[in-house]
Amino acid sequence: MGAYILRRLLLMIPTIIGIMAISFAVIQFAPGGPVEQVISDLTGQNQGGDRLSGGGGDLGIQPGGDESSGRYRGAQGLDPEFIAKLEKQFGFDKPPLERFGLMMWNYIRFDFGESFFRNTSVIDLILDKMPVSISLGLWILLVSYAISIPLGIRKAISDGSTFDVWTSGVIIVGYAVPGFLFGILLIVLFAGGSFFDWFPLRGIVSDNFAQLNWWQKILDYFWHMTLPLITLLMSAFATTTLLTKNSFIDEIKKQYVITARAKGLNERQVLYGHVFRNAMLIVIAGFPGAFITAFFTGSLLTEYIFSLDGLGRLGYESVVKRDYPIVFATLYIFSLMGLLVGLLSDLIYTWVDPRIDFERRDV
C-alpha cells in the first residue's frame, strides 16, 4: 500500500500543474483584465461597479507590443507611464511563462499573495469566509447522511411498496426543483416576503451575537441557518438515498444472504450483520468527496439569496472582478484537496473491505 500511496502522490504533481497551466492559458485570452478594470473605474466606464469594461484587451503585455495605452480599450488619453505602472503593480510586466513559474513556486510554499482589489492577503480572505462555508457544508453533510442512509435502507427493505413509491416521488421532485427557486419561495413565505416574517435574511448570526449568552447564541445561529439549510437539503440527500437503496438491493439478492437466512438468522441479523458492511462500502468510501463537495460547491446561489458571505460568493465575485490571485488560489487549493480526497477514498475502500488491494492493480 505504501508504494501505491507514493505513486498517487507523485501523480498529483503533474496533475495539479496541468490544471493550473490550462487555467492560466485560458486567462491570457480573457477580456477585461485587472488593468482594464482600473482604467474603466478611472474613466467612468464601469458604472455598475463589477461590470467589465467590455473591451478585448489582453491580460498582460502582448508579444511585440509597446507599453502604450492603445493596447487597452478605454485607455486613450491616459499617460502610457501610468499604464506601465499598473501593469507592474499587477505583475503583468513579465512574460506569461515567467509569471506562471513564479506563481507555481509561490503556491508550492502556500504563498498566495494579496488580492488585487481587496488590499488583504488571499489566505486571510479565504479564512475569513470559511466559517460560512463550514456552517453550510458541515450541517448539510451531517443532516443529509442522517436522513439518506436510514431512508435508503428502509426503501430497499420495502422495495416496490407504497412507502417506496411515494418517497421516491418526493425525492425526485426535491432533486428536480432548482435550489435557488426553492430558496426564493422560502423567503416569500417565511422571511418577510408576502406572508410570515419568522426568519432573518442576512448573515449566520445577529449583530448583537457577542452580547448573547451561550444558549441564546445557539438559538440565534440555527435561527439564521434554518432557511439556507432547508434550501440545500432539498437536493443534497437524493443521490445518497438512491445510492444506499440500490446498493442494499444488490447485496440482498446475493447468495450469502440466502445462506444466512437458511441458517436461521432473523432479518435484522442478516441486514446489519452481513449486508450492511458490504452495501455501505460505496457510501462510506464516498464520504470524503461528499465532505469536500459540501464545503466548497453548490452553495453560490444560496449564499447570494440569503446574503451569506462564504467561499462560493467570494469565488464568483473574484471571477467577475478579475481578481486573479483569489481565483487561482482557490482553484489550486480545491484541486489539491480534490486529489487528496480521491486518494483518501481509495484508502477507505481498503479499510472497509480488506479484500481490495490497489497495489496488485495496474495504475
Side-chain angles (χ1 to χ4, degrees):
M1 182 57 67
Y4 173 76
I5 294 175
L6 179 60
R7 187 161 59 247
R8 286 289 298 271
L9 291 174
L10 292 176
L11 284 173
M12 291 180 188
I13 298 175
T15 302
I16 195 72
I17 293 176
I19 293 172
M20 299 301 295
I22 293 174
S23 302
F24 187 86
V26 171
I27 288 298
Q28 304 311 301
F29 302 98
V35 175
E36 282 194 329
Q37 290 282 330
V38 175
I39 293 173
S40 180
D41 290 337
L42 291 175
T43 57
Q45 299 177 32
N46 196 355
Q47 300 296 333
D50 284 341
R51 184 175 61 83
L52 300 182
S53 57
D58 235 8
L59 175 62
I61 296 178
Q62 295 179 347
D66 58 5
E67 297 184 357
S68 65
S69 60
R71 192 167 52 255
Y72 300 100
R73 182 172 298 181
Q76 289 79 6
L78 293 179
D79 187 353
E81 292 186 3
F82 173 74
I83 302 298
K85 288 181 180 179
L86 283 179
E87 291 177 336
K88 185 175 182 179
Q89 176 183 343
F90 292 124
F92 299 148
D93 57 330
K94 301 179 180 66
L97 287 178
E98 183 180 346
R99 296 203 310 271
F100 178 75
L102 181 61
M103 181 184 73
M104 292 305 301
W105 170 246
N106 290 332
Y107 283 10
I108 291 173
R109 298 175 293 142
F110 291 93
D111 178 10
F112 301 111
E114 291 193 357
S115 165
F116 283 162
F117 303 107
R118 296 174 184 259
N119 197 30
T120 186
S121 67
V122 173
I123 194 65
D124 287 341
L125 278 171
I126 294 176
L127 293 177
D128 183 58
K129 311 301 181 184
M130 192 72 75
V132 173
S133 296
I134 290 178
S135 295
L136 290 173
L138 183 61
W139 287 113
I140 287 299
L141 186 69
L142 293 178
V143 175
S144 64
Y145 265 71
I147 296 174
S148 299
I149 293 177
L151 181 59
I153 295 175
R154 174 67 187 280
K155 285 173 65 62
I157 296 174
S158 56
D159 183 39
S161 66
T162 302
F163 173 82
D164 180 45
V165 172
W166 73 260
T167 51
S168 295
V170 172
I171 290 173
I172 292 173
V173 171
Y175 186 77
V177 174
F180 74 92
L181 185 61
F182 188 72
I184 294 174
L185 176 63
L186 292 178
I187 292 175
V188 172
L189 293 177
F190 303 113
S194 301
F195 296 90
F196 306 102
D197 190 9
W198 292 349
F199 297 96
L201 273 176
R202 185 177 300 275
I204 60 174
V205 293
S206 299
D207 294 335
N208 64 335
F209 184 78
Q211 285 74 45
L212 302 177
N213 57 44
W214 66 270
W215 63 269
Q216 289 176 325
K217 290 182 177 179
I218 294 176
L219 292 177
D220 181 77
Y221 171 77
F222 283 106
W223 181 48
H224 283 76
M225 293 297 296
T226 299
L227 295 186
L229 290 180
I230 293 176
T231 300
L232 292 173
L233 273 174
M234 284 301 294
S235 60
F237 68 91
T239 302
T240 308
T241 300
L242 296 178
L243 180 64
T244 303
K245 174 192 172 182
N246 294 332
S247 181
F248 268 80
I249 289 177
D250 290 341
E251 292 296 324
I252 288 173
K253 296 178 180 179
K254 291 185 177 179
Q255 183 63 41
Y256 74 88
V257 176
I258 299 175
T259 303
R261 288 171 176 166
K263 291 181 178 180
L265 299 179
N266 59 45
E267 286 300 313
R268 178 172 291 274
Q269 290 174 323
V270 172
L271 184 64
Y272 294 102
H274 294 76
V275 176
F276 186 84
R277 179 177 178 179
N278 294 328
M280 289 302 295
L281 176 63
I282 297 177
V283 179
I284 295 174
F287 183 84
F291 186 78
I292 298 300
T293 302
F295 275 173
F296 301 119
T297 62
S299 61
L300 170 59
L301 293 176
T302 301
E303 290 180 10
Y304 257 99
I305 291 172
F306 295 99
S307 299
L308 301 175
D309 197 10
L311 290 175
R313 187 171 181 175
L314 173 66
Y316 172 75
E317 291 177 346
S318 301
V319 170
V320 172
K321 192 62 178 176
R322 301 298 198 266
D323 200 341
Y324 292 131
I326 298 178
V327 174
F328 283 120
T330 53
L331 175 64
Y332 178 82
I333 293 173
F334 297 164
S335 299
L336 183 60
M337 293 183 69
L339 293 172
L340 292 174
V341 163
L343 175 59
L344 181 59
S345 296
D346 287 348
L347 297 180
I348 291 179
Y349 270 116
T350 62
W351 175 67
V352 175
D353 190 349
R355 295 172 298 178
I356 299 176
D357 188 357
F358 289 105
E359 285 188 333
R360 297 181 181 178
R361 299 176 58 189
D362 293 331
V363 179

